[in-house]
Amino acid sequence: MKVLLVFAHPERHSLNGALRDVAVAELEARGHEVRVSDLYAEGWKASVDRADFPEMAEDERLRVAGASGRAFTAGALTEDVKAEQEKLLWADTLILQFPLWWYSMPAILKGWVDRVYAFGFAYGVGERSDTHWGDRFGEGTLAGKRAMLIVTVGGWATHYAPRGVNGPIEDILFPINHGVLYYPGYTVLPPFVAYRVDRMDEGGFRQVADQLRERMRSIETTEPIPYRMQNGGDYQVPSLELRPELGDPGASGFALHVDRMRVGLIQL
Amino acid sequence: MKVLLVFAHPERHSLNGALRDVAVAELEARGHEVRVSDLYAEGWKASVDRADFPEMAEDERLRVAGASGRAFTAGALTEDVKAEQEKLLWADTLILQFPLWWYSMPAILKGWVDRVYAFGFAYGVGERSDTHWGDRFGEGTLAGKRAMLIVTVGGWATHYAPRGVNGPIEDILFPINHGVLYYPGYTVLPPFVAYRVDRMDEGGFRQVADQLRERMRSIETTEPIPYRMQNGGDYQVPSLELRPELGDPGASGFALHVDRMRVGLIQL
């Protein structure tokens, strides 16, 4: 297996750095090939701007999707972005590792998504018809590959429980799991989340490291989150609303887009 | 009223730029004082790193929360961050304006949050006791001030409807409205969201501009989203889980943290 781990923590000598070493070591011990994109170490440019599209005329108005699509087609994106796209095509498994800051990714990783996910590469792919609204949410450039998150959190697990004040961790990570990973085609595995990382002692670390090793050992066989395919018949086109007869009655929000029937079947 | 508008779009001659002008003009016409933080124009640094804490020893391990708290207390944060904190304290109303990229803020705005929201300023505020878990979610440095989002979206409104494939816009914006605005104390107004902005013609723009003007006219009186206060008795301490008797039976996810009883009362 070929694994790309995108690492977004500013301190190599951190819990995140130690967990990265654990993950990479375990994957390599199982014979997998691992590459790491260490965004801070590489000085990754976070903000999309005109400099991302070197062939744009100076007085041209920047429309990001259009400029991105033209540059992608022409092979004229910047070298840092092209290198990341090549790694994504090379890998059959993607891991994004980051500390949860303000209920989302650190800016540097958001900027990796904003810049690497070019139009024509990660979105704007596929045709639109009466039954098909582009290749996305289960289809797309990265279909057939697996992806998962490794996330560290300062707060307590109960604060992110189904009734916890922050909202459930599944919902907090939905815009990433569903919106960033599933969108361009990845099969998305349940995230690995470590809580209360600011107060972790040696024993706590050993436990978390063991759990992470187990996740790395089973990365090829772990059951994915059963998100519904956009073009698989569950959604009306072009409104892209879930058909009225689907989903638990009264269910709402992100949970509707997980096919609980499939979860049930898997559990049998 | 004193309004700070934080603007996060790379192109001044854009729909976002035009909507910003509409909002600022309407607010100023009503006698409000408006300041704008144009993150791209100011070359805002997006990524938190060691350079944010100039007084750190070179060989010291970077722990972001700790370094942030020490620098905040010592008045030793960087000048760009201090200037933004001063603007937040000056303003009684905050507007964050941005295009929705990958179901969240552009990296440059996430980096504004990551850097400006220092420990001791936006988090790590207040005491912990048996009934009180710090000043946050309804209390904190920015309590008593109002905040709202102005968001532009490429997709269709139905794609972000309660059963739309992206998930409901309220839930997509929850980590920002609840996690970034409500957390340090802001009273959060419903967001202003414009859809299908890539295909908008003159008539469409006039309509959206009119709706935005109306929102700016009523910004002092608009009913906020009735999020539940963390320390108001609805949550158990320290688990911070919503008390079992609260929330619609069977409800789950982010919606639990909106007090529908209060919505009902407001509507009467």
Side-chain angles (χ1 to χ4, degrees):
Chain A
M1 214 170 61
K2 297 176 200 160
V3 183
L4 173 64
L5 189 153
V6 180
F7 181 74
H9 195 283
E11 173 60 67
R12 189 67 181 85
H13 302 288
S14 60
L15 178 73
N16 264 280
L19 291 177
R20 160 185 161 179
D21 292 340
V22 164
V24 170
E26 185 65 32
L27 290 166
E28 289 182 340
R30 314 286 292 186
H32 304 308
E33 200 177 340
V34 183
R35 293 167 74 179
V36 174
S37 291
D38 183 333
L39 300 185
Y40 273 99
E42 294 165 15
W44 182 260
K45 171 179 180 285
S47 304
V48 174
D49 59 22
R50 299 181 75 87
D52 285 0
F53 314 110
E55 298 194 352
M56 261 184 73
E58 233 175 81
D59 57 349
E60 191 187 338
R61 174 177 152 185
L62 172 58
R63 298 174 193 254
V64 171
S68 170
R70 283 200 310 279
F72 175 71
T73 304
L77 289 164
T78 55
E79 291 306 318
D80 58 348
V81 168
K82 286 197 280 193
E84 292 302 305
Q85 291 176 343
E86 279 158 24
K87 288 186 219 170
L88 289 176
L89 295 174
W90 167 84
D92 45 45
T93 305
L94 171 67
I95 297 173
L96 303 183
Q97 185 187 346
F98 58 93
L100 193 71
W101 286 353
W102 296 106
Y103 304 100
S104 188
M105 300 188 267
I108 200 169
L109 181 55
K110 183 56 172 37
W112 179 88
V113 176
D114 289 347
R115 297 183 60 233
V116 174
Y117 271 33
F119 185 98
F121 180 76
Y123 69 114
V125 177
E127 298 300 316
R128 291 188 186 178
S129 73
D130 287 351
T131 57
H132 189 100
W133 186 266
D135 295 344
R136 51 180 219 170
F137 292 123
E139 298 172 283
T141 300
L142 302 164
K145 302 172 184 286
R146 308 193 132 212
M148 72 173 277
L149 307 180
I150 297 177
V151 183
T152 59
V153 176
W156 299 20
T158 58
H159 303 177
Y160 294 87
R163 295 172 65 83
V165 69
N166 296 317
I169 191 70
E170 292 75 20
D171 287 357
I172 290 169
L173 297 179
F174 182 91
I176 305 173
N177 276 327
H178 186 263
V180 172
L181 297 178
Y182 191 57
Y183 188 106
Y186 282 110
T187 297
V188 185
L189 308 188
F192 180 84
V193 183
Y195 295 96
R196 295 191 74 175
V197 294
D198 296 336
R199 306 281 177 119
M200 195 169 282
D201 59 15
E202 270 299 313
F205 176 74
R206 270 197 302 272
Q207 200 175 2
V208 167
D210 282 344
Q211 291 163 350
L212 181 58
R213 276 187 205 98
E214 175 49 37
R215 285 298 306 272
M216 294 298 100
R217 274 196 291 275
S218 57
I219 197 164
E220 290 171 289
T221 54
T222 300
E223 287 292 347
I225 304 172
Y227 290 132
R228 297 173 186 277
M229 284 187 65
Q230 178 188 274
N231 299 314
D234 286 0
Y235 297 92
Q236 295 165 315
V237 177
S239 81
L240 301 186
E241 289 175 288
L242 189 65
R243 292 189 179 282
E245 68 274 19
L246 296 177
D248 300 336
S252 67
F254 296 150
L256 277 175
H257 306 287
V258 177
D259 187 350
R260 306 222 168 267
M261 296 297 287
R262 262 174 68 206
V263 179
L265 289 173
I266 288 163
Q267 284 170 343
L268 295 174
Chain B
M1 214 170 62
K2 297 176 199 161
V3 183
L4 172 64
L5 189 152
V6 180
F7 181 74
H9 195 283
E11 172 60 66
R12 188 67 182 84
H13 303 286
S14 60
L15 177 73
N16 265 278
L19 290 178
R20 161 185 160 178
D21 292 340
V22 164
V24 170
E26 186 65 32
L27 289 166
E28 289 182 339
R30 314 286 291 187
H32 303 307
E33 201 177 339
V34 183
R35 292 167 75 179
V36 174
S37 291
D38 183 333
L39 300 185
Y40 273 99
E42 294 165 16
W44 182 260
K45 172 179 179 286
S47 304
V48 173
D49 58 22
R50 298 181 77 87
D52 285 0
F53 314 110
E55 298 194 355
M56 260 184 73
E58 233 175 80
D59 57 350
E60 190 186 339
R61 173 176 153 188
L62 172 58
R63 299 174 193 254
V64 172
S68 170
R70 283 200 310 278
F72 175 72
T73 304
L77 289 164
T78 56
E79 291 306 317
D80 57 348
V81 167
K82 285 197 280 193
E84 292 302 305
Q85 291 176 343
E86 280 158 24
K87 287 186 220 171
L88 289 176
L89 295 173
W90 167 84
D92 46 44
T93 304
L94 170 67
I95 297 174
L96 303 182
Q97 185 187 346
F98 59 93
L100 193 71
W101 286 354
W102 296 105
Y103 305 101
S104 187
M105 300 189 268
I108 200 170
L109 181 56
K110 183 56 173 36
W112 178 89
V113 176
D114 289 347
R115 297 183 61 233
V116 174
Y117 271 34
F119 186 98
F121 181 76
Y123 71 114
V125 177
E127 298 300 315
R128 292 190 186 176
S129 73
D130 287 351
T131 56
H132 190 100
W133 187 266
D135 295 343
R136 52 179 220 168
F137 293 122
E139 298 173 282
T141 301
L142 302 164
K145 301 172 185 284
R146 309 194 130 210
M148 72 173 277
L149 307 179
I150 297 178
V151 183
T152 58
V153 176
W156 298 20
T158 58
H159 303 176
Y160 293 88
R163 295 172 64 84
V165 69
N166 296 318
I169 191 71
E170 291 75 19
D171 287 357
I172 290 169
L173 297 179
F174 182 91
I176 305 172
N177 276 328
H178 186 263
V180 172
L181 297 178
Y182 192 58
Y183 189 106
Y186 282 110
T187 297
V188 185
L189 308 187
F192 180 84
V193 184
Y195 295 96
R196 295 190 76 174
V197 294
D198 296 336
R199 306 281 177 121
M200 196 170 281
D201 59 15
E202 270 300 313
F205 176 75
R206 269 196 302 272
Q207 200 176 2
V208 167
D210 282 345
Q211 292 163 349
L212 180 58
R213 275 186 207 99
E214 175 49 37
R215 286 297 307 273
M216 293 299 100
R217 275 196 290 275
S218 58
I219 198 165
E220 290 171 289
T221 54
T222 299
E223 287 291 347
I225 304 172
Y227 291 131
R228 298 173 185 276
M229 283 187 66
Q230 178 188 272
N231 299 313
D234 286 0
Y235 297 91
Q236 295 164 314
V237 177
S239 81
L240 301 186
E241 290 174 287
L242 188 65
R243 292 189 179 284
E245 67 273 20
L246 297 178
D248 299 336
S252 67
F254 296 149
L256 276 175
H257 305 289
V258 178
D259 186 350
R260 304 222 170 269
M261 295 297 287
R262 264 175 66 207
V263 180
L265 288 173
I266 288 163
Q267 284 170 343
L268 293 174

